[in-house]
Amino acid sequence: NQKCGGRKKTVSFSSMPSEKKISSANDCISFMQAGCELKKVRPNSRIYNRFFTLDPDLQALRWEPSKKDLEKAKLDISAIKEIRLGKNTETFRNNGLADQICEDCAFSILHGENYESLDLVANSADVANIWVSGLRYLVSRSKQPLDFMEGNQNTPRFMWLKTVFQAADVDGNGIMLEDTSVELIKQLNPTLKEAKIRLKFKEIQKSKEKLTTRVTEEEFCEAFCELCTRPEVYFLLVQISKNKEYLDANDLMLFLEAEQGVTHITEDICLDIIKRYELSEEGRQKGFLAIDGFTQYLLSSECDIFDPEQKKVAQDMTQPLSHYYINASHNTYLIEDQFRGPADINGYVRALKMGCRSIELDVSDGSDNEPILCNRNNMTTHVSFRSVIEVINKFAFIASEYPLILCLGNHCSLPQQKVMVQQMKKVFGNKLYTEAPLLSESYLPSPEKLKRMIIVKGKKLPSDPDVLEGEVTDEDEEAEMSRRMSVDYNGEQKQIRLCRELSDLVSICKSVQYRDFELSMKSQNYWEICSFSETEASRIANEYPEDFVNYNKKFLSRIYPSAMRIDSSNLNPQDFWNCGCQIVAMNFQTPGPMMDLHTGWFLQNGGCGYVLRPSIMRDEVSYFSANTKGIVPGVSPLALHIKIISGQNFPKPKGACAKGDVIDPYVCVEIHGIPADCSEQRTKTVQQNSDNPIFDETFEFQVNLPELAMIRFVVLDDDYIGDEFIGQYTIPFECLQPGYRHVPLRSFVGDIMEHVTLFVHIAITNRSGGGKAQKRSLSVRMGKKVREYTMLRNIGLKTIDDIFKIAVHPLREAIDMRENMQNAIVSIKELCGLPPVASLKQCLLTLSSRLITSDNTPSVSLVMKDSFPYLEPLGAIPDVQKKMLAAYDLMIQESRFLIEMADTVQEKIVQCQKAGMEFHEELHNLGAKEGLKGRKLNKATESFAWNITVLKPWTKITPFYSIFTC
């Protein structure tokens, strides 16, 4: 984390006075009147430092020094048409130094009839927000600019605070004890520390040269506003409320639809939200949401970053068991390290409550003919087998009703094996799944079919019923690894005796030894499972990544940590999930980054312990390599835009004592997934701020296989001795909710920390083109000359190659239609001054506001032609509006062409794919006839799978029309 992609640690000293937060439009105006230095950006790649101020009469903006005379180095507020935040003008887009300018510090003032731009850069994002909010407020109230200068005393917020104060002022004297005021503010905002509230009252009273500690109504309101107003939330509220200091139902509806991605929203739903979160009685009655209620709403579960649909079982649970990742525990009976840790029954309770669906029981002979579980490195403590299975039976299906796999490590004598069988049958009863696998089937049963069943994984005797006992290879994985690494290892495995009764409890999870993929694909039965050590699985994943994925389409693979991990540290599960390995066993007792990934991954699908793998890793005919370094065939890459806005209530790292109560936080954003997607970025360090550090930094990541990607947010304390952990949160890409979200941070051991959050903005857009993320936006337009087309491969069999050749042209047509549509939307976003992450709804709202004349009448009319909405001017219009109409017209034309042609192009691709699939069963025979064998035949099979994988997504409607939903 200290390296974080090679970025050096930087420290942010906010230019906003730390003792005075922005909590109203009045604060913004006062800041602007005092003035500050801004960088003025010119189209010729030159940047000038200028000192900008707002005139005392609020009528003009001025800057100096300037070669112009004083009257020309100014801009009248009345001439301002629009204020844009970010690098969203031609000047910024074409400036050679634009890559060196922070997106969140840039803003532009468009003025005059031709929408000329004054492009500026602040020295921090919060200063940029002050200027943007203040100017927008002035422009929206240009006809009555002095109204707000009457002060804050009559705003809905202050009226509410007055009623709160008066209700607590039992004597009615307009004054109360400081202790009472402190308690009152803590009731309104429980996250505030008492010492901070008392300090604020002292600051206010000192500024007024007061000696008394009693608090007036005005001082109470002032203290509350300064302590409880989060500037970043205030700036957001002003932006979405069209420069008011509250939201009405219509404002909230547009925010939820256009920004938060909420569908089927109505005015009644918005009014209900206002009633539930607005703190003032007046606001609830009149239907508006002020800053405090809006803050509460953003912090509520309704604005959580985790998609609520994924908090319940949302995936298809009728696929074969081998098509799912399964939440698995290693050495479940341990609560400490595997070298000295004692066996403890609570290990099973913890794992099962966390949704674990594969647990381990290492059973040995105990005294009095009673089998036990113990750590064979520490025989002093053990638990009885009976007590363990009773706990398992009690907690097996509390967190999930889907099947539980018991990985049985049998080290018992024959008599005690029979005791184990008797106890399991008595405790589990008909929950034990002992049905013999059907020879007519090719795949394992589904989790849905196996609901509330307990499956025993273990060794099995031959099917001859007359054989009552026999020898099988030992399941002692750690001892086996030790033998293999010894100098005199001769390749033979240790044998143990197994009784028929225990063998018969094993049905669809029979343990067998892995030899090689060629042998397994020919002779392994679908109900047989191989276990791989971490070391062995890593070697196979590196040498045979495609074969490993194909093997896991049909068979279960279990990966267990290396025996060298005597401290019970964890392997990286992502390395093996990338290969399709279903059961990656983790040491639940050892917290840390690897366990964070595992816990985060299995939060999805209702935390049921089963996660459906990507279709490209399940389909019988598909190509995927775990070592993919670029675009995945058949999968459209996405661009993930994450803005880290602020943090709330960060605790001091445990064990940190060098800096007292001071922390200097920064945030790392990690992307985990296939190698092509792995990336990491970090924010600047915010000095000495744990309550509400403002980061305001945006990162962009290309995600080539979203279904297998995870995002991990990590907050650290910047320290020269060593950066210390504050909190983290890990979430699957598929569970992200777009818009403004709060991220609930977890402690080092994985517990949610109360009131400790990150405030972020999430947006997901199409990615045009390919390759790693570059300095330019990931959503840039891709012209035909540089457009990358996924190529179909030559198989070497003419009959099949001729079929796939027919698909080349319609495939290019399909890609061109989608990319042209994407480019048309990007063009209109740029002309509207919106970033690539903006939604189409935001774009149309902005466009409609630009097509209004100075007397507030429309300059265009909406005309329906062949059911498509065109815009026609109602007379002469400025050049700026002409450009916008041309861009809109192009977007409609591309939409129309896509809608009218998509079915025809799609049908051509469908026919090619169907014709190709008819040769799937005969591929090996055809290859043999053509003289292909060995590596050449394998290469032909791989190329065939590649082509089918490339074509398959285009046989569905989604790739053609996904542009409308992005």
Side-chain angles (χ1 to χ4, degrees):
N1 280 325
Q2 293 185 32
K3 292 181 181 178
C4 284
R7 178 171 174 175
K8 294 180 179 178
K9 295 178 183 177
T10 55
V11 177
S12 167
F13 293 96
S14 173
S15 55
M16 280 171 52
S18 59
E19 70 278 1
K20 178 66 177 177
K21 278 187 178 181
I22 297 296
S23 60
S24 66
N26 205 8
D27 293 337
C28 293
I29 302 303
S30 299
F31 182 94
M32 293 159 64
Q33 287 176 323
C36 73
E37 189 176 89
L38 301 172
K39 292 181 173 63
K40 186 179 176 187
V41 182
R42 303 289 294 162
N44 58 7
S45 295
R46 292 189 178 182
I47 298 177
Y48 304 92
N49 288 322
R50 298 288 184 261
F51 194 85
F52 281 75
T53 55
L54 176 67
D55 277 356
D57 61 2
L58 314 180
Q59 298 300 309
L61 193 66
R62 297 182 186 273
W63 58 91
E64 58 183 25
S66 174
K67 293 180 181 178
K68 299 176 182 178
D69 61 55
L70 291 177
E71 283 306 305
K72 289 186 177 180
K74 76 166 190 174
L75 177 62
D76 290 333
I77 299 298
S78 59
I80 297 176
K81 301 290 187 184
E82 181 188 341
I83 300 97
R84 294 179 184 174
L85 187 59
K87 299 182 290 187
N88 293 310
T89 63
E90 286 296 318
T91 299
F92 276 123
R93 280 192 286 268
N94 298 328
N95 191 294
L97 301 175
D99 286 340
Q100 301 172 27
I101 296 171
C102 173
E103 176 80 24
D104 303 302
C105 296
F107 66 101
S108 302
I109 303 171
L110 277 68
H111 56 93
E113 291 303 316
N114 292 320
Y115 283 73
E116 299 170 64
S117 67
L118 174 61
D119 300 286
L120 304 169
V121 181
N123 61 1
S124 70
D126 44 20
V127 170
N129 275 318
I130 291 172
W131 282 95
V132 169
S133 299
L135 288 170
R136 283 175 174 170
Y137 192 91
L138 287 174
V139 170
S140 68
R141 284 159 173 70
S142 56
K143 294 179 181 178
Q144 42 183 357
L146 294 176
D147 283 358
F148 77 94
M149 293 303 288
E150 294 173 2
N152 296 328
Q153 302 304 313
N154 296 320
T155 65
R157 187 189 200 187
F158 267 80
M159 296 301 290
W160 163 65
L161 284 173
K162 286 178 181 178
T163 60
V164 170
F165 183 90
Q166 289 163 7
D169 180 16
V170 290
D171 297 330
N173 298 326
I175 195 167
M176 66 172 64
L177 293 172
E178 183 181 295
D179 290 347
T180 309
S181 299
V182 169
E183 190 58 35
L184 189 54
I185 289 181
K186 277 183 68 75
Q187 289 175 15
L188 297 173
N189 189 342
T191 65
L192 285 175
K193 296 171 185 172
E194 181 178 328
K196 188 172 182 180
I197 302 173
R198 292 190 184 280
L199 181 62
K200 179 55 65 177
F201 278 130
K202 284 182 172 58
E203 288 176 2
I204 292 171
Q205 290 165 353
K206 184 178 179 181
S207 67
K208 296 179 179 180
E209 298 182 349
K210 282 179 60 178
L211 297 177
T212 178
T213 57
R214 292 180 178 270
V215 176
T216 65
E217 179 180 274
E218 181 184 346
E219 290 165 350
F220 171 80
C221 294
E222 183 180 349
F224 179 88
C225 289
E226 290 197 23
L227 289 168
C228 300
T229 304
R230 286 172 47 186
E232 73 280 18
V233 176
Y234 173 76
F235 294 137
L236 175 62
L237 181 139
V238 170
Q239 175 188 330
I240 61 181
S241 68
K242 302 179 186 66
N243 311 304
K244 303 189 296 291
E245 294 197 347
Y246 60 86
L247 300 175
D248 58 30
N250 286 330
D251 296 329
L252 187 56
M253 190 185 306
L254 285 175
F255 171 69
L256 294 174
E257 285 182 330
E259 196 64 69
Q260 303 294 87
V262 181
T263 55
H264 310 299
I265 199 75
T266 65
E267 185 176 356
D268 287 341
I269 292 173
C270 294
L271 287 171
D272 178 65
I273 291 172
I274 291 170
K275 285 179 180 176
R276 285 187 287 119
Y277 291 100
E278 173 56 30
L279 299 179
S280 71
E281 182 62 32
E282 181 189 7
R284 290 193 293 270
Q285 288 180 356
K286 294 183 177 179
F288 64 74
L289 195 62
I291 179 68
D292 302 294
F294 185 51
T295 304
Q296 292 295 321
Y297 172 64
L298 289 176
L299 281 166
S300 74
S301 59
E302 295 183 55
C303 290
D304 191 78
I305 192 171
F306 196 92
D307 184 355
E309 286 299 309
Q310 285 288 344
K311 291 183 178 180
K312 56 190 177 185
V313 175
Q315 298 174 356
D316 177 9
M317 302 303 288
T318 62
Q319 301 270 335
L321 211 60
S322 59
H323 288 184
Y324 297 84
Y325 296 113
I326 302 173
N327 190 343
S329 162
H330 177 244
N331 287 348
T332 316
Y333 51 88
L334 293 181
I335 58 171
E336 296 177 22
D337 68 76
Q338 65 189 44
F339 187 63
R340 291 184 300 270
D344 194 306
I345 206 164
N346 288 314
Y348 292 95
V349 176
R350 175 187 56 204
L352 292 170
K353 282 185 173 180
M354 291 176 68
C356 187
R357 296 290 86 196
S358 173
I359 58 178
E360 295 184 14
L361 294 89
D362 216 1
V363 193
S364 302
D365 279 356
S367 59
D368 301 324
N369 202 32
E370 187 71 31
I372 60 169
L373 277 79
C374 64
N375 181 353
R376 279 169 295 147
N377 295 314
N378 179 7
M379 299 291 286
T380 56
T381 60
H382 61 262
V383 291
S384 70
F385 178 73
R386 176 189 287 274
S387 63
V388 168
I389 62 173
E390 285 175 347
V391 164
I392 291 172
N393 187 56
K394 180 180 179 181
F395 292 95
F397 302 109
I398 287 179
S400 169
E401 59 181 350
Y402 291 100
L404 175 66
I405 301 172
L406 305 185
C407 297
L408 209 56
N410 171 29
H411 313 291
C412 290
S413 60
L414 292 175
Q416 295 212 16
Q417 288 179 30
K418 293 177 182 180
V419 174
M420 288 167 55
V421 174
Q422 292 168 2
Q423 292 178 348
M424 282 195 280
K425 285 183 174 180
K426 183 178 180 180
V427 173
F428 295 142
N430 58 10
K431 294 175 188 173
L432 275 175
Y433 186 84
T434 55
E435 291 181 25
L438 299 173
L439 295 174
S440 59
E441 297 289 338
S442 300
Y443 287 90
L444 289 164
S446 70
E448 185 67 30
K449 186 177 180 180
L450 296 168
K451 263 185 179 179
R452 303 189 72 82
M453 300 305 295
I454 294 176
I455 301 166
V456 177
K457 172 198 166 291
K459 291 293 182 178
K460 197 166 176 66
L461 293 173
S463 56
D464 185 354
D466 295 331
V467 179
L468 299 180
E469 60 183 65
E471 286 195 338
V472 293
T473 53
D474 191 2
E475 276 281 278
D476 190 340
E477 294 156 352
E478 290 164 16
E480 177 63 24
M481 285 300 296
S482 300
R483 283 196 297 273
R484 288 189 178 208
M485 288 184 288
S486 67
V487 178
D488 54 355
Y489 174 64
N490 60 8
E492 294 184 5
Q493 286 187 292
K494 182 184 174 183
Q495 301 288 307
I496 62 167
R497 302 291 292 175
L498 179 67
C499 72
R500 169 60 61 186
E501 291 88 343
L502 186 55
S503 172
D504 287 347
L505 290 187
V506 177
S507 59
I508 56 172
C509 279
K510 176 187 174 183
S511 296
V512 296
Q513 186 69 30
Y514 166 78
R515 303 296 179 190
D516 60 61
F517 287 129
E518 186 176 356
L519 183 64
S520 295
M521 297 301 281
K522 286 180 181 178
S523 59
Q524 186 173 333
N525 296 307
Y526 71 85
W527 61 83
E528 295 174 336
I529 174 174
C530 290
S531 291
F532 302 82
S533 72
E534 173 190 351
T535 307
E536 184 183 23
S538 296
R539 177 187 63 79
I540 295 171
N542 287 324
E543 295 178 8
Y544 311 105
E546 298 91 348
D547 292 336
F548 213 170
V549 171
N550 286 330
Y551 172 84
N552 286 320
K553 290 176 183 178
K554 186 173 183 179
F555 307 111
L556 286 175
S557 291
R558 175 175 163 273
I559 315 298
Y560 57 90
S562 166
M564 297 295 100
R565 295 183 181 273
I566 59 173
D567 59 349
S568 291
S569 59
N570 275 307
L571 49 75
N572 185 344
Q574 190 78 53
D575 294 341
F576 305 105
W577 291 336
N578 290 346
C579 299
C581 299
Q582 301 90 345
I583 304 175
V584 183
M586 303 291 287
N587 291 307
F588 274 49
Q589 74 272 27
T590 309
M594 300 303 101
M595 196 62 204
D596 293 342
L597 294 180
H598 181 272
T599 304
W601 181 249
F602 286 103
L603 288 175
Q604 62 186 308
N605 203 27
C608 75
Y610 285 83
V611 172
L612 190 63
R613 295 184 314 177
S615 60
I616 198 171
M617 301 172 78
R618 305 191 316 262
D619 294 341
E620 185 180 358
V621 183
S622 62
Y623 175 86
F624 176 73
S625 171
N627 292 342
T628 296
K629 297 294 192 294
I631 290 178
V632 177
V635 180
S636 296
L638 296 175
L640 172 64
H641 310 253
I642 298 179
K643 182 175 183 179
I644 306 295
I645 303 172
S646 64
Q648 290 75 46
N649 310 306
F650 290 163
K652 179 183 172 184
K654 286 191 175 179
C657 54
K659 297 189 294 183
D661 290 328
V662 174
I663 66 169
D664 305 319
Y666 67 94
V667 182
C668 277
V669 182
E670 305 168 359
I671 309 296
H672 297 266
I674 61 173
D677 292 342
C678 292
S679 183
E680 186 174 1
Q681 296 283 351
R682 62 154 288 175
T683 67
K684 61 183 175 285
T685 297
V686 175
Q687 204 78 338
Q688 300 185 12
N689 191 335
S690 61
D691 296 329
N692 188 216
I694 304 293
F695 300 101
D696 264 328
E697 288 196 62
T698 302
F699 306 115
E700 298 183 8
F701 303 94
Q702 177 175 323
V703 182
N704 294 283
L705 187 55
E707 288 179 274
L708 209 53
M710 275 189 291
I711 297 88
R712 183 169 181 256
F713 301 90
V714 191
V715 182
L716 298 163
D717 182 15
D718 199 341
D719 196 318
Y720 287 105
I721 300 172
D723 297 349
E724 295 180 299
F725 178 90
I726 293 173
Q728 69 83 32
Y729 185 77
T730 306
I731 180 173
F733 183 95
E734 297 283 282
C735 297
L736 286 172
Q737 288 213 96
Y740 290 92
R741 305 289 172 182
H742 278 91
V743 180
L745 294 181
R746 292 177 179 264
S747 67
F748 183 72
V749 296
D751 298 328
I752 291 286
M753 296 186 286
E754 192 176 16
H755 304 308
V756 182
T757 55
L758 275 177
F759 187 41
V760 302
H761 181 267
I762 303 289
I764 300 168
T765 62
N766 281 356
R767 168 69 169 113
S768 301
K772 274 287 195 180
Q774 305 297 321
K775 286 186 178 179
R776 291 188 67 196
S777 168
L778 290 173
S779 304
V780 293
R781 287 169 287 179
M782 191 65 69
K784 282 191 178 182
K785 290 183 180 179
V786 294
R787 190 171 290 166
E788 295 182 11
Y789 298 93
T790 305
M791 302 300 293
L792 296 176
R793 292 180 176 178
N794 188 55
I795 294 168
L797 299 172
K798 187 176 184 302
T799 307
I800 303 176
D801 283 334
D802 287 346
I803 290 172
F804 285 125
K805 282 178 183 176
I806 299 171
V808 171
H809 181 66
L811 186 61
R812 290 178 67 94
E813 280 187 295
I815 294 170
D816 283 341
M817 281 194 290
R818 188 176 67 180
E819 295 298 322
N820 290 343
M821 183 68 213
Q822 172 72 19
N823 290 347
I825 290 180
V826 170
S827 293
I828 198 167
K829 284 181 183 178
E830 288 180 349
L831 283 171
C832 287
L834 295 173
V837 299
S839 67
L840 197 53
K841 179 147 193 166
Q842 288 171 311
C843 193
L844 293 175
L845 286 169
T846 304
L847 178 65
S848 64
S849 68
R850 305 279 172 78
L851 300 174
I852 301 293
T853 63
S854 55
D855 58 355
N856 210 30
T857 58
S859 59
V860 298
S861 64
L862 182 71
V863 180
M864 299 300 292
K865 296 180 182 177
D866 301 324
S867 300
F868 287 87
Y870 288 87
L871 294 175
E872 293 186 353
L874 296 172
I877 57 175
D879 289 343
V880 173
Q881 291 189 357
K882 286 179 182 176
K883 287 182 181 179
M884 287 184 176
L885 288 185
Y888 175 85
D889 190 59
L890 177 63
M891 182 179 72
I892 296 299
Q893 288 178 29
E894 293 294 351
S895 303
R896 182 171 186 169
F897 183 73
L898 185 149
I899 291 168
E900 291 174 348
M901 295 299 297
D903 291 343
T904 303
V905 174
Q906 184 190 32
E907 184 58 29
K908 292 177 184 177
I909 296 174
V910 169
Q911 293 305 319
C912 289
Q913 199 229 19
K914 282 183 178 178
M917 281 298 293
E918 289 178 3
F919 288 95
H920 168 55
E921 299 293 338
E922 297 297 318
L923 191 60
H924 278 265
N925 292 335
L926 287 171
K929 286 180 182 179
E930 294 290 329
L932 299 180
K933 56 185 177 180
R935 291 184 64 185
K936 287 187 177 180
L937 183 57
N938 289 338
K939 189 68 178 176
T941 305
E942 182 183 295
S943 297
F944 180 86
W946 170 280
N947 291 348
I948 294 296
T949 304
V950 169
L951 294 178
K952 186 172 182 179
W954 297 97
T955 63
K956 303 173 184 176
I957 204 69
T958 307
F960 288 96
Y961 299 114
S962 63
I963 190 67
F964 294 112
T965 60
C966 287

